[in-house]
Amino acid sequence: MPELPEVETVRRGLAPALEGRRIAHVTQRRPDLRFPLPPRFAERLTGRRISRLDRRAKYILVRIEPLGAAGEEVLIMHLGMSGRFTIHGPEGTRTPGLFHHGMPGAERHDHIVFDMEDGTRIVYADHRRFGFMDLVAAADIGASAHLAALGPEPLGNEFSAATLSGRLKSRRAPIKAALLDQRTVAGLGNIYVCEALWRAGISPNRSAASVAGAVRSERLAAAIRSVLLDAIAAGGSTLRDYAHTDGELGYFQHAFAVYDREGEACSKPGCGGTVKRIVQSGRSTFYCPRCQR
Ligand SMILES: [Zn+2]
C-alpha cells in the first residue's frame, strides 16, 4: 500500500507530464473505482488545462484552471492499495513510484486514460479498485470529506514538536495507534510509523501522552520528517530508472530498518538488539525492544 513518500514520488513523476498541459480527451472505462466517479467526469475534464499538482497526505491534488462557466477545480486522486499511473510519452513509457511486484494482465485494469494535447497518454490502472478520483470546486477543497479531518502535513510548516505534543498529550492509546490516526498527523501508515518510532528510540507500546514531553516529541517529530524525506529521496531515484517496468524494483523496501525485519539484528550502531514483531490493533508492529523505550 503506497504511503506518503510513494504518493509524493508519483506526484513528482506525473507533474512534468501534466503541469501546464491541456487534457484533450478522457476515457473512463468504468462508472466507479472505490466510489462512483463524479457525474460527467470525462466531459468536465475535457479541454481543461492543469496548472499544478499538489499533495495533501496521500492525496494527489490536480489543480484545473477555470474554463468558460467552470471555475477552478481540483481533481483529487487517491491510489488506494494498488493504483498506479503509467505515462506513455515522447520519452517512452514509465510508471513513477512503482512499488508493486509484477501484476500479470494488469492492462485489463486500465480504468481511466488521460490523453493530453501534446500526445502524452496517462493511464490509471487499479486492479483492486481501492483508489478513487473526485472532482471538486477549488473553493470547497478544505471542506472535502476526504481532507477535512486530516491533521497537519508532516513535511509542512504547521507540523512541529509542539503541534505533535498538543495532539498526543491527552491520548492514552499507544503511540503507534495515535500516529496511525490521520488526525494526529496526516499521511503516515504502518510502515513509516514503525520506522519513525525506531529512529526516535521510542517504544510503540508507550502511551501517546508519555511522548508529549519536550524531549520525546522533538525526537519523534524530527524522526517522522527524516524518515519521510529519506524515503522520498529513495523514491526519486526510481524516476530516473525508466527501464524497470517489470515491477520488481521495490525500491523502498531496501531502506527499512525494522519494518518486515523480524528476527534480524537491529541496525542501530552499538544496540545489539533483535527486531521483534508484535500485533497492535490488528496490525504488525516491528521494533527493537532494546533501543526503543
Ligand atoms: Zn536497537
mmCIF file of all heavy atoms in Angstrom, residues 6 9-10 82-86 94-103 235 238-239 241-253:
data_model
loop_
_atom_site.group_PDB
_atom_site.id
_atom_site.type_symbol
_atom_site.label_atom_id
_atom_site.label_comp_id
_atom_site.label_asym_id
_atom_site.label_seq_id
_atom_site.Cartn_x
_atom_site.Cartn_y
_atom_site.Cartn_z
ATOM 1 N N GLU A 6 5.616 7.319 -1.277
ATOM 2 C CA GLU A 6 5.327 6.746 -2.596
ATOM 3 C C GLU A 6 4.384 7.659 -3.380
ATOM 4 O O GLU A 6 4.537 7.850 -4.587
ATOM 5 C CB GLU A 6 4.702 5.355 -2.445
ATOM 6 C CG GLU A 6 5.666 4.282 -1.959
ATOM 7 C CD GLU A 6 5.951 4.346 -0.473
ATOM 8 O OE1 GLU A 6 5.016 4.613 0.302
ATOM 9 O OE2 GLU A 6 7.110 4.140 -0.076
ATOM 10 N N THR A 9 6.297 10.504 -4.652
ATOM 11 C CA THR A 9 7.089 10.084 -5.810
ATOM 12 C C THR A 9 6.225 10.036 -7.070
ATOM 13 O O THR A 9 6.651 10.474 -8.146
ATOM 14 C CB THR A 9 7.725 8.703 -5.539
ATOM 15 O OG1 THR A 9 8.562 8.816 -4.390
ATOM 16 C CG2 THR A 9 8.558 8.233 -6.709
ATOM 17 N N VAL A 10 5.014 9.541 -6.920
ATOM 18 C CA VAL A 10 4.096 9.508 -8.069
ATOM 19 C C VAL A 10 3.769 10.935 -8.510
ATOM 20 O O VAL A 10 3.763 11.246 -9.707
ATOM 21 C CB VAL A 10 2.814 8.716 -7.717
ATOM 22 C CG1 VAL A 10 1.774 8.845 -8.822
ATOM 23 C CG2 VAL A 10 3.151 7.253 -7.462
ATOM 24 N N SER A 82 -3.569 -0.357 -4.803
ATOM 25 C CA SER A 82 -2.837 -0.855 -5.975
ATOM 26 C C SER A 82 -2.890 0.094 -7.167
ATOM 27 O O SER A 82 -2.515 -0.293 -8.261
ATOM 28 C CB SER A 82 -3.420 -2.216 -6.382
ATOM 29 O OG SER A 82 -4.799 -2.063 -6.723
ATOM 30 N N GLY A 83 -3.361 1.327 -6.954
ATOM 31 C CA GLY A 83 -3.470 2.239 -8.089
ATOM 32 C C GLY A 83 -2.103 2.669 -8.601
ATOM 33 O O GLY A 83 -1.179 2.861 -7.834
ATOM 34 N N ARG A 84 -1.981 2.775 -9.912
ATOM 35 C CA ARG A 84 -0.719 3.285 -10.450
ATOM 36 C C ARG A 84 -0.956 3.967 -11.793
ATOM 37 O O ARG A 84 -1.895 3.653 -12.520
ATOM 38 C CB ARG A 84 0.320 2.188 -10.587
ATOM 39 C CG ARG A 84 -0.055 1.094 -11.559
ATOM 40 C CD ARG A 84 1.154 0.192 -11.714
ATOM 41 N NE ARG A 84 0.854 -0.952 -12.550
ATOM 42 C CZ ARG A 84 1.768 -1.841 -12.883
ATOM 43 N NH1 ARG A 84 3.001 -1.716 -12.478
ATOM 44 N NH2 ARG A 84 1.447 -2.848 -13.649
ATOM 45 N N PHE A 85 -0.073 4.893 -12.068
ATOM 46 C CA PHE A 85 -0.144 5.636 -13.310
ATOM 47 C C PHE A 85 1.004 5.216 -14.210
ATOM 48 O O PHE A 85 2.140 5.079 -13.751
ATOM 49 C CB PHE A 85 -0.004 7.138 -13.040
ATOM 50 C CG PHE A 85 -1.220 7.741 -12.397
ATOM 51 C CD1 PHE A 85 -1.283 7.884 -11.026
ATOM 52 C CD2 PHE A 85 -2.290 8.159 -13.172
ATOM 53 C CE1 PHE A 85 -2.398 8.446 -10.422
ATOM 54 C CE2 PHE A 85 -3.408 8.723 -12.575
ATOM 55 C CZ PHE A 85 -3.466 8.866 -11.198
ATOM 56 N N THR A 86 0.705 5.055 -15.473
ATOM 57 C CA THR A 86 1.756 4.819 -16.456
ATOM 58 C C THR A 86 1.692 5.947 -17.479
ATOM 59 O O THR A 86 0.606 6.309 -17.937
ATOM 60 C CB THR A 86 1.578 3.453 -17.138
ATOM 61 O OG1 THR A 86 1.579 2.449 -16.134
ATOM 62 C CG2 THR A 86 2.719 3.171 -18.111
ATOM 63 N N ARG A 94 6.815 4.987 -18.695
ATOM 64 C CA ARG A 94 7.333 4.843 -17.335
ATOM 65 C C ARG A 94 6.188 4.859 -16.348
ATOM 66 O O ARG A 94 5.119 5.396 -16.607
ATOM 67 C CB ARG A 94 8.335 5.953 -17.002
ATOM 68 C CG ARG A 94 7.738 7.327 -17.053
ATOM 69 C CD ARG A 94 8.850 8.363 -17.159
ATOM 70 N NE ARG A 94 8.319 9.682 -17.401
ATOM 71 C CZ ARG A 94 7.993 10.548 -16.437
ATOM 72 N NH1 ARG A 94 8.155 10.212 -15.183
ATOM 73 N NH2 ARG A 94 7.526 11.730 -16.733
ATOM 74 N N THR A 95 6.454 4.248 -15.195
ATOM 75 C CA THR A 95 5.478 4.174 -14.107
ATOM 76 C C THR A 95 6.134 4.758 -12.870
ATOM 77 O O THR A 95 6.915 4.079 -12.209
ATOM 78 C CB THR A 95 5.049 2.711 -13.867
ATOM 79 O OG1 THR A 95 4.494 2.205 -15.085
ATOM 80 C CG2 THR A 95 4.005 2.617 -12.774
ATOM 81 N N PRO A 96 5.875 6.019 -12.558
ATOM 82 C CA PRO A 96 6.554 6.618 -11.411
ATOM 83 C C PRO A 96 6.121 5.989 -10.094
ATOM 84 O O PRO A 96 4.953 5.674 -9.914
ATOM 85 C CB PRO A 96 6.131 8.090 -11.475
ATOM 86 C CG PRO A 96 4.891 8.118 -12.300
ATOM 87 C CD PRO A 96 4.956 6.943 -13.227
ATOM 88 N N GLY A 97 7.104 5.817 -9.200
ATOM 89 C CA GLY A 97 6.789 5.302 -7.867
ATOM 90 C C GLY A 97 6.335 3.868 -7.865
ATOM 91 O O GLY A 97 5.548 3.455 -7.033
ATOM 92 N N LEU A 98 6.852 3.089 -8.783
ATOM 93 C CA LEU A 98 6.424 1.694 -8.881
ATOM 94 C C LEU A 98 6.853 0.929 -7.636
ATOM 95 O O LEU A 98 8.018 0.892 -7.297
ATOM 96 C CB LEU A 98 7.048 1.058 -10.117
ATOM 97 C CG LEU A 98 6.499 -0.305 -10.502
ATOM 98 C CD1 LEU A 98 5.021 -0.233 -10.772
ATOM 99 C CD2 LEU A 98 7.224 -0.812 -11.729
ATOM 100 N N PHE A 99 5.901 0.352 -6.958
ATOM 101 C CA PHE A 99 6.246 -0.337 -5.716
ATOM 102 C C PHE A 99 5.645 -1.729 -5.660
ATOM 103 O O PHE A 99 5.679 -2.386 -4.663
ATOM 104 C CB PHE A 99 5.776 0.475 -4.508
ATOM 105 C CG PHE A 99 4.439 1.097 -4.719
ATOM 106 C CD1 PHE A 99 3.313 0.346 -4.515
ATOM 107 C CD2 PHE A 99 4.329 2.410 -5.165
ATOM 108 C CE1 PHE A 99 2.072 0.906 -4.741
ATOM 109 C CE2 PHE A 99 3.082 2.965 -5.389
ATOM 110 C CZ PHE A 99 1.953 2.214 -5.171
ATOM 111 N N HIS A 100 5.059 -2.165 -6.769
ATOM 112 C CA HIS A 100 4.410 -3.468 -6.769
ATOM 113 C C HIS A 100 5.328 -4.517 -7.364
ATOM 114 O O HIS A 100 6.202 -4.216 -8.132
ATOM 115 C CB HIS A 100 3.157 -3.456 -7.649
ATOM 116 C CG HIS A 100 2.170 -2.449 -7.234
ATOM 117 N ND1 HIS A 100 1.438 -2.588 -6.094
ATOM 118 C CD2 HIS A 100 1.818 -1.277 -7.794
ATOM 119 C CE1 HIS A 100 0.656 -1.546 -5.981
ATOM 120 N NE2 HIS A 100 0.863 -0.733 -6.987
ATOM 121 N N HIS A 101 5.035 -5.742 -7.031
ATOM 122 C CA HIS A 101 5.609 -6.813 -7.807
ATOM 123 C C HIS A 101 4.725 -6.985 -9.042
ATOM 124 O O HIS A 101 3.635 -6.443 -9.113
ATOM 125 C CB HIS A 101 5.713 -8.073 -6.961
ATOM 126 C CG HIS A 101 6.734 -7.903 -5.877
ATOM 127 N ND1 HIS A 101 8.084 -7.998 -6.119
ATOM 128 C CD2 HIS A 101 6.609 -7.564 -4.584
ATOM 129 C CE1 HIS A 101 8.743 -7.750 -4.999
ATOM 130 N NE2 HIS A 101 7.866 -7.482 -4.051
ATOM 131 N N GLY A 102 5.247 -7.707 -9.999
ATOM 132 C CA GLY A 102 4.566 -7.781 -11.301
ATOM 133 C C GLY A 102 3.105 -8.184 -11.186
ATOM 134 O O GLY A 102 2.750 -9.022 -10.375
ATOM 135 N N MET A 103 2.282 -7.555 -11.963
ATOM 136 C CA MET A 103 0.862 -7.891 -11.954
ATOM 137 C C MET A 103 0.467 -8.320 -13.357
ATOM 138 O O MET A 103 0.140 -7.484 -14.194
ATOM 139 C CB MET A 103 0.025 -6.693 -11.544
ATOM 140 C CG MET A 103 0.230 -6.313 -10.092
ATOM 141 S SD MET A 103 -0.890 -5.006 -9.608
ATOM 142 C CE MET A 103 -0.346 -3.688 -10.682
ATOM 143 N N GLY A 235 12.798 7.193 -3.419
ATOM 144 C CA GLY A 235 11.802 7.058 -4.484
ATOM 145 C C GLY A 235 12.177 7.884 -5.688
ATOM 146 O O GLY A 235 11.950 7.485 -6.828
ATOM 147 N N THR A 238 13.931 6.272 -8.516
ATOM 148 C CA THR A 238 13.206 5.429 -9.472
ATOM 149 C C THR A 238 12.703 6.243 -10.659
ATOM 150 O O THR A 238 12.439 5.701 -11.708
ATOM 151 C CB THR A 238 11.985 4.729 -8.831
ATOM 152 O OG1 THR A 238 11.034 5.724 -8.450
ATOM 153 C CG2 THR A 238 12.375 3.912 -7.632
ATOM 154 N N LEU A 239 12.563 7.548 -10.473
ATOM 155 C CA LEU A 239 12.083 8.366 -11.584
ATOM 156 C C LEU A 239 13.077 8.368 -12.737
ATOM 157 O O LEU A 239 12.720 8.567 -13.880
ATOM 158 C CB LEU A 239 11.859 9.810 -11.121
ATOM 159 C CG LEU A 239 10.782 10.005 -10.059
ATOM 160 C CD1 LEU A 239 10.696 11.459 -9.661
ATOM 161 C CD2 LEU A 239 9.454 9.514 -10.565
ATOM 162 N N ASP A 241 14.853 5.784 -13.414
ATOM 163 C CA ASP A 241 15.104 4.383 -13.705
ATOM 164 C C ASP A 241 13.986 3.808 -14.556
ATOM 165 O O ASP A 241 13.326 2.853 -14.178
ATOM 166 C CB ASP A 241 15.200 3.622 -12.372
ATOM 167 C CG ASP A 241 16.226 2.520 -12.450
ATOM 168 O OD1 ASP A 241 16.643 2.193 -13.571
ATOM 169 O OD2 ASP A 241 16.614 1.989 -11.391
ATOM 170 N N TYR A 242 13.780 4.399 -15.727
ATOM 171 C CA TYR A 242 12.614 4.047 -16.528
ATOM 172 C C TYR A 242 12.623 2.601 -16.995
ATOM 173 O O TYR A 242 11.602 2.059 -17.353
ATOM 174 C CB TYR A 242 12.525 4.954 -17.763
ATOM 175 C CG TYR A 242 12.320 6.395 -17.448
ATOM 176 C CD1 TYR A 242 12.360 7.344 -18.464
ATOM 177 C CD2 TYR A 242 12.091 6.833 -16.161
ATOM 178 C CE1 TYR A 242 12.176 8.682 -18.183
ATOM 179 C CE2 TYR A 242 11.909 8.162 -15.873
ATOM 180 C CZ TYR A 242 11.951 9.093 -16.890
ATOM 181 O OH TYR A 242 11.778 10.415 -16.637
ATOM 182 N N ALA A 243 13.804 1.987 -17.005
ATOM 183 C CA ALA A 243 13.906 0.643 -17.569
ATOM 184 C C ALA A 243 13.163 -0.396 -16.735
ATOM 185 O O ALA A 243 12.695 -1.394 -17.246
ATOM 186 C CB ALA A 243 15.369 0.242 -17.686
ATOM 187 N N HIS A 244 13.033 -0.129 -15.457
ATOM 188 C CA HIS A 244 12.461 -1.141 -14.567
ATOM 189 C C HIS A 244 10.947 -1.110 -14.567
ATOM 190 O O HIS A 244 10.315 -0.740 -13.598
ATOM 191 C CB HIS A 244 12.969 -0.943 -13.148
ATOM 192 C CG HIS A 244 14.422 -1.229 -13.001
ATOM 193 N ND1 HIS A 244 14.901 -2.441 -12.587
ATOM 194 C CD2 HIS A 244 15.492 -0.462 -13.236
ATOM 195 C CE1 HIS A 244 16.213 -2.408 -12.562
ATOM 196 N NE2 HIS A 244 16.597 -1.217 -12.959
ATOM 197 N N THR A 245 10.350 -1.513 -15.649
ATOM 198 C CA THR A 245 8.891 -1.526 -15.710
ATOM 199 C C THR A 245 8.345 -2.905 -15.379
ATOM 200 O O THR A 245 7.156 -3.142 -15.480
ATOM 201 C CB THR A 245 8.389 -1.111 -17.100
ATOM 202 O OG1 THR A 245 9.087 -1.889 -18.059
ATOM 203 C CG2 THR A 245 8.624 0.358 -17.363
ATOM 204 N N ASP A 246 9.214 -3.812 -14.945
ATOM 205 C CA ASP A 246 8.745 -5.163 -14.654
ATOM 206 C C ASP A 246 8.144 -5.284 -13.254
ATOM 207 O O ASP A 246 7.674 -6.334 -12.862
ATOM 208 C CB ASP A 246 9.887 -6.171 -14.806
ATOM 209 C CG ASP A 246 11.074 -5.819 -13.924
ATOM 210 O OD1 ASP A 246 10.976 -4.840 -13.166
ATOM 211 O OD2 ASP A 246 12.083 -6.533 -14.003
ATOM 212 N N GLY A 247 8.166 -4.200 -12.505
ATOM 213 C CA GLY A 247 7.539 -4.235 -11.190
ATOM 214 C C GLY A 247 8.402 -4.844 -10.105
ATOM 215 O O GLY A 247 7.971 -5.021 -8.982
ATOM 216 N N GLU A 248 9.645 -5.167 -10.419
ATOM 217 C CA GLU A 248 10.495 -5.837 -9.436
ATOM 218 C C GLU A 248 11.389 -4.861 -8.670
ATOM 219 O O GLU A 248 12.185 -5.257 -7.848
ATOM 220 C CB GLU A 248 11.394 -6.881 -10.128
ATOM 221 C CG GLU A 248 10.627 -8.009 -10.789
ATOM 222 C CD GLU A 248 9.783 -8.809 -9.800
ATOM 223 O OE1 GLU A 248 10.244 -9.031 -8.678
ATOM 224 O OE2 GLU A 248 8.661 -9.175 -10.167
ATOM 225 N N LEU A 249 11.229 -3.604 -8.945
ATOM 226 C CA LEU A 249 12.156 -2.631 -8.385
ATOM 227 C C LEU A 249 12.033 -2.549 -6.865
ATOM 228 O O LEU A 249 13.009 -2.698 -6.145
ATOM 229 C CB LEU A 249 11.904 -1.264 -9.020
ATOM 230 C CG LEU A 249 13.040 -0.265 -8.919
ATOM 231 C CD1 LEU A 249 14.324 -0.858 -9.468
ATOM 232 C CD2 LEU A 249 12.683 0.989 -9.687
ATOM 233 N N GLY A 250 10.835 -2.319 -6.375
ATOM 234 C CA GLY A 250 10.580 -2.300 -4.931
ATOM 235 C C GLY A 250 11.590 -1.479 -4.164
ATOM 236 O O GLY A 250 12.133 -1.917 -3.164
ATOM 237 N N TYR A 251 11.862 -0.275 -4.621
ATOM 238 C CA TYR A 251 12.983 0.494 -4.085
ATOM 239 C C TYR A 251 12.929 0.689 -2.591
ATOM 240 O O TYR A 251 13.917 0.628 -1.897
ATOM 241 C CB TYR A 251 13.054 1.868 -4.767
ATOM 242 C CG TYR A 251 11.884 2.784 -4.465
ATOM 243 C CD1 TYR A 251 11.911 3.600 -3.342
ATOM 244 C CD2 TYR A 251 10.778 2.822 -5.292
ATOM 245 C CE1 TYR A 251 10.836 4.423 -3.057
ATOM 246 C CE2 TYR A 251 9.713 3.635 -5.009
ATOM 247 C CZ TYR A 251 9.742 4.436 -3.897
ATOM 248 O OH TYR A 251 8.693 5.251 -3.611
ATOM 249 N N PHE A 252 11.722 0.926 -2.068
ATOM 250 C CA PHE A 252 11.675 1.413 -0.706
ATOM 251 C C PHE A 252 11.926 0.335 0.327
ATOM 252 O O PHE A 252 12.380 0.597 1.414
ATOM 253 C CB PHE A 252 10.376 2.169 -0.441
ATOM 254 C CG PHE A 252 9.149 1.290 -0.474
ATOM 255 C CD1 PHE A 252 8.498 0.953 0.687
ATOM 256 C CD2 PHE A 252 8.658 0.832 -1.675
ATOM 257 C CE1 PHE A 252 7.360 0.159 0.657
ATOM 258 C CE2 PHE A 252 7.524 0.038 -1.707
ATOM 259 C CZ PHE A 252 6.877 -0.296 -0.542
ATOM 260 N N GLN A 253 11.652 -0.919 -0.041
ATOM 261 C CA GLN A 253 11.774 -1.947 0.983
ATOM 262 C C GLN A 253 13.210 -2.159 1.439
ATOM 263 O O GLN A 253 13.454 -2.606 2.546
ATOM 264 C CB GLN A 253 11.157 -3.262 0.513
ATOM 265 C CG GLN A 253 11.885 -3.944 -0.601
ATOM 266 C CD GLN A 253 10.911 -4.729 -1.475
ATOM 267 O OE1 GLN A 253 9.763 -4.366 -1.631
ATOM 268 N NE2 GLN A 253 11.385 -5.799 -2.051
#
